[in-house]
Structure formats: C-alpha cells, structure tokens
Amino acid sequence: MRGLQAAGGAPLTGDTEDGAVPAAPLPGRRIAVLATIVPIVYALDLVTKTLVLRTLEGREPLVVIPDLLQFRVIFNSGAAFSLGTGMTIIFTCVAAAVVVAILRTARNLRSLPWAVTLSLLLGGALGNLTDRIFRWPSGFGPDRPSPFQGHVVDFIETFPGHFPVWNVADSAIVCGGVLAVLLAWRGYQIDGTRDTGAAKTTKDTKDTKDTKDTKENSDG
C-alpha cells in the first residue's frame, strides 16, 4: 500500500479531512513516462504491422502454436477486435476524440500509475488512428476515395476461430482500460490524490456523536 501511494505521487501520511491524500507534483516523471511508453507502443504497433504486411499479406496463416496462436493478416474496418465493422468513419472520429481527451487530461496528471495507464491508451489509440487515416483504402491521393476510413491491420489470432483477430495497439488499449478500472476502484485519482473514503467515515462518526450528545442533553 505504501509503495502504491508513493508511486501515485501522494505522501504516505497526512490524509486531508475530505479523505483525499494530498498530491505531490510529478511533472518530470510524468513527462518521462509519457515520452517513453507512448513512442514504444506506437513503434511496436507500426513495426509489427509493417512486417506482417510484407511477409504474410495474401498468404496462408503462420501457425505459431497449433489451435492456440497464429498470425493472419486482415483489414478491420471496425473497432478493436474486429467489432463494429462498417462504422469506420465513426470509429475514426472516436479515436481522434480519445487522443485529444487524453492529451488534455495529461495536463493535470500527477500520478505515476495513471501516467502509465494513459500512455498505454494514447499509444494504442494513435496506432489504430494512423491506420484509419493512412491505410488502405484510405489516404489523401486521387486513387483513395475514402479519406479517414482506412482499415486497421489486425494479425494476432488466439484460439483461431473462437476469438477476434487483434494487434499491438488493441492490447495496449485493453491493458490501459483494465488499469484505469483498477486505479479508479482503489481510489487513485489522476491528480495524484487518493480517495480513501475517510470523509464519509468521519462524517458518519461525527453525526452519530452529535445525535448521541443531543439525546443525552434532552434526557438531562
């Protein structure tokens, strides 16, 4: 617990009366985390997609572990894990909005765990957004009639025939989403504070004491 509080940018003692642990600014570490993880995720996504397109496009799937893992190139016009095909322009707009929202949120970022979380989400969103803008059949040339409707390259297929095909960007987005849920559940805030629930406990205790005192005064 103490390690998580320290990692979140919060002091180990001194909870405030409202139940939130005061934030400690982490501008340097925040920028370092974003500047490291986002390019790594984006580069891994771009490089792996480029490699599989050069080696596997139009060919039979490359079986790595029979009935468990294989590489097969597909062009996904939908969302992550091939969901929502046929709504490409909508998902392009959503992806762009997510990128803008994360960048705006990062200005108030003071939590190291949240910096990791937002970096995974941002790197994954940028990876798939690049496909939607520049991949086939999108683009900006005269032979590309459907701007902002590019198809995302998916190639990792686990449990073939039973699970959607995905890519590195999808996995980063999912991991970031899971971390976000866990951090919110534990009360860790983006600004580095932690909602410990002490406020409600203190208030309930105070209300109980006031009620008891009022009753005793009435009886007296």
Side-chain angles (χ1 to χ4, degrees):
M1 183 66 69
R2 295 172 65 86
L4 287 174
Q5 288 178 327
L12 300 178
T13 59
D15 291 8
T16 59
E17 292 183 357
D18 61 356
V21 179
L26 289 171
R29 296 172 71 184
R30 173 198 64 185
I31 294 174
V33 169
L34 290 172
T36 301
I37 296 180
V38 172
I40 288 176
V41 172
Y42 183 78
L44 283 175
D45 184 64
L46 183 62
V47 169
T48 53
K49 288 174 179 176
T50 301
L51 287 176
V52 297
L53 284 175
R54 290 182 177 180
T55 58
L56 295 178
E57 184 179 7
R59 301 181 182 180
E60 292 295 321
L62 174 62
V63 177
V64 180
I65 303 176
D67 299 324
L68 179 61
L69 174 65
Q70 68 180 25
F71 296 149
R72 176 170 67 91
V73 176
I74 68 168
F75 292 93
N76 174 21
S77 61
F81 300 106
S82 302
L83 301 177
T85 56
M87 303 174 63
T88 308
I89 189 65
I90 296 177
F91 289 120
T92 302
C93 295
V94 170
V98 168
V99 170
V100 172
I102 293 175
L103 291 175
R104 289 176 60 88
T105 302
R107 295 183 302 177
N108 300 320
L109 187 60
R110 295 294 183 274
S111 167
L112 193 57
W114 271 108
V116 174
T117 299
L118 294 183
S119 296
L120 291 172
L121 293 172
L122 181 57
L126 286 173
N128 283 340
L129 181 61
T130 299
D131 282 2
R132 297 189 187 281
I133 296 176
F134 297 107
R135 295 283 187 189
W136 180 91
S138 185
F140 301 99
D143 57 336
R144 302 292 185 90
S146 304
F148 306 109
Q149 298 191 49
H151 294 180
V152 174
V153 176
D154 290 333
F155 62 93
I156 305 172
E157 188 172 18
T158 50
F159 301 102
H162 303 283
F163 198 75
V165 186
W166 47 285
N167 57 41
V168 173
D170 293 339
S171 63
I173 292 172
V174 170
C175 290
V178 171
L179 284 174
V181 171
L182 290 175
L183 290 173
W185 175 59
R186 294 298 301 275
Y188 289 94
Q189 308 297 316
I190 289 178
D191 62 2
T193 62
R194 185 185 179 195
D195 184 3
T196 62
K200 184 178 186 304
T201 302
T202 302
K203 182 177 183 301
D204 291 344
T205 302
K206 184 177 182 300
D207 291 344
T208 301
K209 185 177 182 300
D210 291 344
T211 301
K212 181 178 179 181
D213 291 344
T214 301
K215 182 178 180 181
E216 290 178 350
N217 291 336
S218 298
D219 293 340

